[in-house]
Each structure stands twice: as structure tokens, then as C-alpha cells.
């Protein structure tokens, strides 16, 4: 993104594992009157969010929504690189993107259905127990972080030795945040700071599993927590209302899916929701 919208481009890239850049939004066109299927715009190789095998948590949320609406589910697969929204949603070949940061200007955002936060991933026996990026314990530590994401500069200021992972990439070729977590498991780095859903998913799948510390007490100027919505075309208020109704009615089911994928969830006050506390606080 350009100018004041750059941080949104960065978080979208981090949430989706790739870089997303669009041109100007296209002019409004009439809203579809009938929707005989749920057509989802998605990346086919972007776990823990989506893949063509249906293994991501956004796949499962899409399945839940299609079942709730009583329509079949179909996908338009495209790598989430430059022009993704323009070449999918705006061409009207699909109707919803399941995961979009609130405020992303090239779509109409629905109600947010989860909130998460960048998290520190460390070995289970690590003595690095911090929940803020300005903690002095980071000084001299070898920490992995995806370049240009919000924690990058702050960790440098804290004195960490940074191992950077490229931000702008095609998920068919590279998976930088996944690689950052795997390098912790291999001992290449002492820890990694990545977007919460990626941290939780890949940390739990290492052998042995890694520890995830959500950075909920951060006192720096880095933007670490985000509200995640679904994205629909501009000028489709009825479709947005339909999805908002689904989110409102099925929030507990959505939270259960997110918990299955070890996603660190925050409530509306920015406090961590513990898995055994139930799902309603995330609304």
C-alpha cells in the first residue's frame, strides 16, 4: 500500500503470507440478486488460512457458512499477490474473502469475527518469557521476524539480532512466517515474532511443540493486534448484512474452529481469551 495505508498492506501481507497491492477501487456495479452458491476467493497454498485440500481454518469457516446458508461451496483459487482483489472479487467471479484486516480499503468489511495479536514463539524450555517488544530480555537474542512487519524495527531498537524473512512473496514458492517458526524448532534462532494465527498453528505442529506468548502487554508504538473481518465488494450492503448475521449467530462455532488451530484470540478489550474460558468474549 502507499502512504498512510502502508501498514494495512503490511498486515494483509502478514495475515495472508504474501504481498497484496491493488489499484484504485472499481466503480460500483449492481448487487447480485441471487446467490446460489458461496463463491470464495482464496489462496490455494496458504495454511493455516486456506489451501486447495480444505485444511485451513478459513476453509472450515467457509464450509460452516455455506452449510448455514444452505448453498454449495466453491472456490476461485489465486495466489494472494499483486492484483488479487482486482482479479477475483472485483471481476465478480467470487463473492467473499474470508480473512481481511478491518479497514482494508479495497473491500467492504463485514463485522470482525476474531481478533489476534503478534506472538513470540520460543522453545518450551526457553527463559525468554516476555509479552512486550521493548523488554530488555530481547537484547542480544537471535530472533526471526518477517521483514517490514510491525515488530521488525521495534525488535532492532530493543537490541535483538534479527534474522529477516522476506515479506513480499508468492505462497507457491515461499512461506516466510512458517519458515521463521520452523527455524526456532531447528535451533537456528532463539525465537520468532510472527502473526498470532501463524504462530499458534505452526508452533503446535513442531516436534516437540513450541511455546507461544501473545504480545498482549506491548507498550511500544508497534501495531500488533488486528480485527479480522470478511471482505465483500463495495456496493453490496445486503450481502454484507447476510454475512454479518451469520457471524453474529455462529460466533461460538467460529471460535471453536479457531481454537482447533491454536489461534491466540483477544476479546474486545484486547485481553487474551484462554481456550477454556468459552467463546462469547471474542464477539
Amino acid at each position: 500500500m502507499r502512504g498512510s495505508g502502508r501498514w494495512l498492506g503490511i498486515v494483509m501481507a502478514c495475515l495472508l503470507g504474501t504481498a497484496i497491492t491493488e489499484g484504485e477501487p472499481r466503480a460500483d456495479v449492481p448487487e447480485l440478486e441471487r446467490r446460489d452458491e458461496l463463491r470464495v476467493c482464496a489462496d490455494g497454498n496458504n495454511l493455516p488460512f486456506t489451501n486447495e485440500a480444505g485444511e485451513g481454518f478459513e476453509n472450515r469457516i467457509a464450509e460452516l457458512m455455506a452449510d448455514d446458508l444452505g448453498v454449495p461451496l466453491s472456490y476461485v483459487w489465486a495466489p494472494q499477490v499483486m492484483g488479487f482483489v482486482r482479479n477475483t472479487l472485483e471481476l465478480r467471479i467470487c463473492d467473499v474473502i474470508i480473512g481481511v484486516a478491518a479497514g482494508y480499503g479495497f473491500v467492504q468489511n463485514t463485522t470482525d469475527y476474531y481478533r489476534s495479536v503478534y506472538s513470540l514463539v520460543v522453545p518450551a524450555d526457553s527463559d525468554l518469557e516476555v509479552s512486550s517488544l521493548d523488554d530488555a530480555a530481547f537484547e542480544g537474542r537471535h530472533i526471526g521476524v518477517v521483514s517490514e512487519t510491525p515488530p521488525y524495527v521495534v525488535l532492532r531498537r530493543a537490541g535483538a539480532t534479527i534474522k529477516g524473512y522476506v515479506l513480499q512473496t508468492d505462497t507457491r514458492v515461499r512461506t516466510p512466517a512458517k519458515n521463521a517458526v520452523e527455524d526456532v524448532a531447528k535451533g537456528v534462532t532463539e525465537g520468532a515474532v510472527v502473526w498470532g494465527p501463524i504462530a499458534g498453528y505452526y508452533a503446535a505442529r513442531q516436534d516437540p511443540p513450541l511455546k507461544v506468548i501473545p504480545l498482549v502487554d506491548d507498550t511500544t508504538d508497534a501495531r500488533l493486534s488486528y480485527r479480522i473481518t470478511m471482505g465483500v465488494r463495495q456496493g453490496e450492503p445486503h450481502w454484507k448484512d447476510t454475512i454479518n448475521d451469520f457471524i453474529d449467530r455462529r460466533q461460538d462455532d467460529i471460535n471453536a474452529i479457531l481454537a482447533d488451530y491454536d489461534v491466540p484470540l483477544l476479546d474486545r478489550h484486547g485481553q487474551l481469551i484462554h481456550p477454556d474460558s468459552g467463546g462469547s468474549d471474542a464477539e
Side-chain angles (χ1 to χ4, degrees):
M1 299 305 125
R2 298 178 177 84
S4 62
R6 180 172 174 77
W7 69 268
L8 279 172
I10 290 173
V11 75
M12 284 294 294
C14 187
L15 301 186
L16 303 169
T18 62
I20 296 179
T21 305
E22 300 294 338
E24 294 300 317
R26 296 173 61 169
D28 290 343
V29 293
E31 183 168 8
L32 294 174
E33 294 183 5
R34 293 188 57 186
R35 298 183 190 272
D36 298 323
E37 60 181 333
L38 178 63
R39 304 186 303 170
V40 174
C41 323
D43 190 317
N45 186 34
N46 197 28
L47 288 177
F49 308 102
T50 54
N51 71 1
E52 291 193 31
E55 297 170 327
F57 68 76
E58 291 182 7
N59 291 115
R60 286 184 54 188
I61 292 170
E63 291 166 7
L64 179 69
M65 182 157 62
D67 182 69
D68 186 88
L69 298 175
V71 296
L73 171 64
S74 66
Y75 287 96
V76 170
W77 301 111
Q80 285 173 323
V81 294
M82 182 179 295
F84 175 74
V85 173
R86 181 174 62 248
N87 295 326
T88 57
L89 195 67
E90 289 186 2
L91 288 181
R92 303 173 72 84
I93 58 175
C94 47
D95 301 314
V96 61
I97 303 171
I98 299 295
V100 176
Y104 183 61
F106 295 95
V107 300
Q108 181 179 198
N109 294 105
T110 66
T111 301
D112 57 277
Y113 65 94
Y114 77 94
R115 305 175 191 202
S116 194
V117 63
Y118 275 83
S119 300
L120 172 66
V121 178
V122 293
D125 60 354
S126 174
D127 63 349
L128 189 57
E129 291 273 358
V130 300
S131 56
S132 178
L133 290 178
D134 59 357
D135 196 297
F138 275 117
E139 186 170 1
R141 301 286 190 144
H142 196 189
I143 304 297
V145 61
V146 178
S147 301
E148 297 184 72
T149 58
Y152 191 88
V153 172
V154 182
L155 282 168
R156 279 202 181 281
R157 288 205 304 257
T161 300
I162 299 296
K163 176 175 173 56
Y165 299 81
V166 64
L167 170 67
Q168 299 191 30
T169 189
D170 185 331
T171 56
R172 295 170 298 184
V173 179
R174 296 179 180 177
T175 53
K178 174 187 176 184
N179 294 343
V181 174
E182 291 177 338
D183 278 350
V184 178
K186 295 173 184 175
V188 175
T189 56
E190 297 175 75
V193 176
V194 295
W195 173 234
I198 299 172
Y201 179 79
Y202 285 113
R205 285 154 181 80
Q206 304 307 309
D207 186 17
L210 302 174
K211 180 166 53 178
V212 177
I213 306 173
L215 296 171
V216 293
D217 299 319
D218 188 68
T219 57
T220 71
D221 57 0
R223 178 78 181 274
L224 300 184
S225 63
Y226 293 89
R227 297 181 297 114
I228 306 304
T229 73
M230 299 188 195
V232 300
R233 279 182 291 275
Q234 304 288 353
E236 295 195 339
H238 299 303
W239 181 223
K240 175 183 174 181
D241 289 345
T242 296
I243 297 178
N244 283 343
D245 177 66
F246 160 75
I247 293 170
D248 182 61
R249 289 185 293 101
R250 305 302 296 269
Q251 184 68 65
D252 286 349
D253 296 318
I254 293 171
N255 289 348
I257 292 171
L258 296 168
D260 285 347
Y261 285 75
D262 301 288
V263 176
L265 295 177
L266 306 183
D267 64 21
R268 67 184 65 190
H269 306 294
Q271 300 302 306
L272 186 66
I273 299 172
H274 295 283
D276 58 356
S277 67
S280 60
D281 288 344
E283 297 177 19

